[in-house]
Amino acid sequence: MAMALAQHRESSSDSSINKHLDGGKYVRYTAEQVEALERVYAECPKPSSLRRQQLIRECPILSNIEPKQIKVWFQNRRCREKQKKESSRLQTVNRKLTAMNKLLMEENDRLQKQVSQMVCENGYMKQQLHTVNTSAADANCDSLGTTPQHSLRDTNSPAGLLSIAEETLAEFLSKATGTAVDWVQMPGMKPGPDSVGIFTISQSCSGVAARACGLVSLEPVKIAEILKDRPSWSRDCRNLEVFTMFPAGNGGTIELVYAQTFAPTTLAPARDFWTLRYTTTLENGSLVVCERSLSGSGAGPSAAAAAQFVRAEVLPSGYLIRPCEGGGSIIHIVDHLNLEAWSVPEVLRPLYESSKVIAQKMTIAALRYIRQIAQETSGEVVYSLGRQPAVLRTFSQRLSRGFNDAINGFNDDGWSIMNCDGTEDVIIAVNSIKSFSSTSNPANALSFLGGVLCAKASMLLQNIAAAVLVRFLREHRSEWADFNVDAYCAASLKAGTNAYPGMRPTRFTGSQIIMPLGHTIEHEELLEVIRLEGHSFVQEDAFVSRDIHLLQICSGIDENAVGACSELVFAPIDEMFPDDAPLLPSGFCVIPLDSKSSDTQDSLTTNRTLDLTSSLEVGPATNHAAGDTSSCRNTRSVLTIAFQFPFESNLRDNVATMARQYVRSVISSVQRVAMAISPSGLNPAVGSKLSPGSPEALTLAHWICRSYSYHLGAELLRSESLGGDSILKNLWQHQDAILCCSLKSQPVFIFANQAGLDMLETTLVALQDITLDKLFDESGRKALCPDFGKLMQQQGYACLPAGICMSTMGRHVSYEQAFAWKVLEADESTVHCLAFSFVNWSFV
């Protein structure tokens, strides 16, 4: 308060008065009056505050000032405060833009150097083409020059390690700011005002490499501290241990580090690294953390600790962090690895040979995490339910780590394979010793008498984008999940209630409520609580809540994120949602393969969604849709599923049988869903069919509307909605429930708009399993029979009075009126199907 008064007095032209413009003239206030007004404003800044009026009345020195003048003074005071905040904000933005401009200028200089170097190399190669022998000699020299020399040095002496460290520093800097690697723009990551940074990948070099440059509002030391703690931000890092650390002669430090990473599938072993990490400060004040592998596959910890890993290589990589004027830092991140792709099945090699995958998993993830921490530190991130960002971030990390632990099943964590002869499609692993409690409160440990059982499998999917599949699994849980299995896993949170068999039968209502908790700065990962509503079949428990709550993370649902894996991981959680809740994660991981196509084929169309209408916004005959078809049909992904189940010792075999059957049913459901939403399944945007033998959805929409007009003499849609592709969009969004069924002896539904799906409480995928007789109860079927003959033989349409029908969940649905008519094909003589329209329907 005193500081504000001092600043105000210094800005005044007179030490005892303050001039204020009111109605075109200046009003002079004494210093005492200004001080009193400042006190009132500091206590009550809101203009409509009754407390402000009371303070003004209680202050005698303000009694001789007109209320209008006081009001104008407060308005101007508030304007000055807003101007000050805006000026401060603009100064901060200007500093950031200045730093980013400097970064772009440096990048431009690097690209110019790279172009000059390529021009020189091109001219040199033209000269050498005339002399074959000289060219061969040059190739030999190049091969000798690229032979790593640090393998010949003594890695057991500080002098030898320092020499390797200095060489690593030079090679890393040449990659971060020089032309040692031919960097190209990362597909789908174009720089701009809203971009996190500049992302590039290697075009042609040994191994896989990615680079990121960005501006972060944290100090260099803080950034280095965060990035060196890799398990805290890298979901793929299982463990990192510093075996030796000693100071270097120039004020830096040298560390010998052993790190383990998770394998993303059950089809290949995990990787580990034995590296030298060098931290130092350059002459210009920049902080550098660089790293490279030390030679020898047997180096590092004991062979027993690394028995389940394949030793991979880190080529000179690291972080260059440069402080900016006015705060913040410019950071360069380089990741260059050789993941020994020869050791994995051939179908998985694109995953280990793609720089795009490394960019998403390591380089981009590191920069995003730093940006996330910076925003949380500045208070820009606000999460729901009053949770602190660090707590929610810990939940996400625990879910991801628990899921990766289940997929890998390391022996030193207590996992062992149960009766597997190598021919089983589903692997069953058992863990009887691992603690699943929260580290902050071991008293909340899951008290299992037997342990935890994991059923897991990996499979290949084709012609389906990973983001599309995971988004569907998230939004349509009832398509693949069994509510009773969810209830069994949720019961493990309560001591003594996880017995099997003998679970109380519960019916899932189909209602899935998603409650968001938080998200990362670019929404690439979502943290949410899922509530599944259930009701008991037992009469005495009818009023007891059977709802299940799941904590869930969903990532990688952006179809434009090239090389990104998509995950849906969840775990049952108590409805009180304590910070130290124990978690037993299960879920799906879908990783795209074959990421070497052109930029236009790296991802699906941005605007494609799972509903029928938006997928048809482009006609099936357009070139754009044809391009999407090509890219989708060349898409391959590897899906990994892992589900964990608690068990008691005497019921282990029963739970294992249940788990194996459940995972097989989930796999079958996912395969069915993938076929339905792939370009060769239900997606009409690429010329596919709604069901075998049926017309394309756009054509069917035209037939439905034209037949309605033909039979009933009225328009189903407004006339302006009938042109082009908009007819299907408007039919999909029509307020009445519109359904179409086949003309088979047992009619089944083949199409429904959004209102129809809501009324039936189903999805497009499950629609074709619903028969017409399930829509009506006994009385409804009797009422329909007299009109059905009229519909088929005479008029071709029928008007049904108000009545009751049934949803797939058994709920009654009332409607004021319904219409039924024959849908005629283009020749207006062939009946394709029957259509129904239910007006003003609602659940009873």
Side-chain angles (χ1 to χ4, degrees), residues 556-573:
I557 56 177
D558 179 9
E559 297 175 48
N560 290 326
V562 180
C565 72
S566 303
E567 285 188 340
L568 184 70
V569 181
F570 49 88
I573 193 169

Side-chain angles (χ1 to χ4, degrees), residues 23-160:
K25 62 180 181 178
Y26 279 102
V27 178
R28 293 175 177 266
Y29 299 99
T30 65
E32 291 77 11
Q33 289 175 333
V34 172
E35 185 174 355
L37 289 170
E38 289 285 358
R39 282 199 304 269
V40 174
Y41 183 83
E43 187 170 346
C44 302
K46 295 184 178 180
S48 60
S49 173
L50 295 177
R51 175 62 177 162
R52 174 189 285 185
Q53 304 300 326
Q54 181 182 355
L55 291 175
I56 292 175
R57 288 194 299 268
E58 292 175 354
C59 187
I61 199 171
L62 301 178
S63 60
N64 59 344
I65 304 178
E66 295 182 6
K68 178 183 177 183
Q69 294 177 347
I70 293 178
K71 181 179 179 181
V72 173
W73 189 93
F74 281 124
Q75 289 176 347
N76 290 340
R77 177 66 176 81
R78 190 164 58 252
C79 288
R80 291 197 300 271
E81 186 174 356
K82 289 182 179 178
Q83 289 174 352
K84 184 177 179 181
K85 290 181 179 179
E86 182 66 14
S87 176
S88 176
R89 187 188 69 82
L90 290 176
Q91 290 177 3
T92 302
V93 172
N94 185 59
R95 286 197 299 268
K96 290 182 178 180
L97 291 176
T98 301
M100 186 59 69
N101 183 59
K102 181 180 178 182
L103 179 62
L104 292 174
M105 291 176 62
E106 292 175 353
E107 181 69 7
N108 185 55
D109 291 341
R110 188 194 66 81
L111 291 174
Q112 289 180 351
K113 292 178 181 177
Q114 185 173 349
V115 169
S116 300
Q117 180 178 346
M118 293 177 68
V119 170
C120 294
E121 290 177 354
N122 187 39
Y124 176 75
M125 290 301 296
K126 286 182 178 180
Q127 294 178 3
Q128 296 304 311
L129 286 176
H130 297 289
T131 310
V132 178
N133 294 334
T134 306
S135 178
D138 290 338
N140 292 334
C141 292
D142 291 341
S143 63
L144 289 175
T146 57
T147 301
Q149 298 297 318
H150 70 274
S151 61
L152 304 177
R153 301 190 187 125
D154 184 8
T155 58
N156 295 320
S157 68

Side-chain angles (χ1 to χ4, degrees), residues 162-180 278 280 282 288 290-292 316-317:
L162 180 58
S163 176
I164 296 174
E166 293 293 346
E167 180 184 301
T168 303
L169 174 63
E171 292 187 32
F172 160 68
L173 292 177
S174 67
K175 296 176 183 179
T177 60
T179 59
Y278 182 36
T280 187
L282 304 181
V288 177
C290 56
E291 189 171 11
R292 85 179 309 160
S317 307

Side-chain angles (χ1 to χ4, degrees), residues 530-547:
I530 310 299
R531 190 179 76 187
L532 307 176
E533 294 184 352
H535 298 289
S536 174
F537 283 128
V538 184
Q539 184 63 33
E540 55 268 23
D541 292 341
F543 299 101
V544 178
S545 174
R546 295 294 179 187
D547 293 353

Side-chain angles (χ1 to χ4, degrees), residues 444-497:
N444 278 359
L446 297 181
S447 54
F448 304 144
L449 299 179
V452 173
L453 182 146
C454 177
K456 54 189 177 181
S458 292
M459 55 184 289
L460 187 66
L461 298 176
Q462 299 195 33
N463 305 334
I464 178 66
V468 174
L469 177 60
V470 168
R471 188 164 66 240
F472 188 94
L473 296 176
R474 170 179 176 261
E475 296 173 356
H476 304 275
R477 185 179 183 87
S478 60
E479 292 291 342
W480 55 268
D482 186 330
F483 183 85
N484 287 312
V485 174
D486 290 330
Y488 166 72
C489 294
S492 64
L493 295 174
K494 300 176 183 180
T497 61

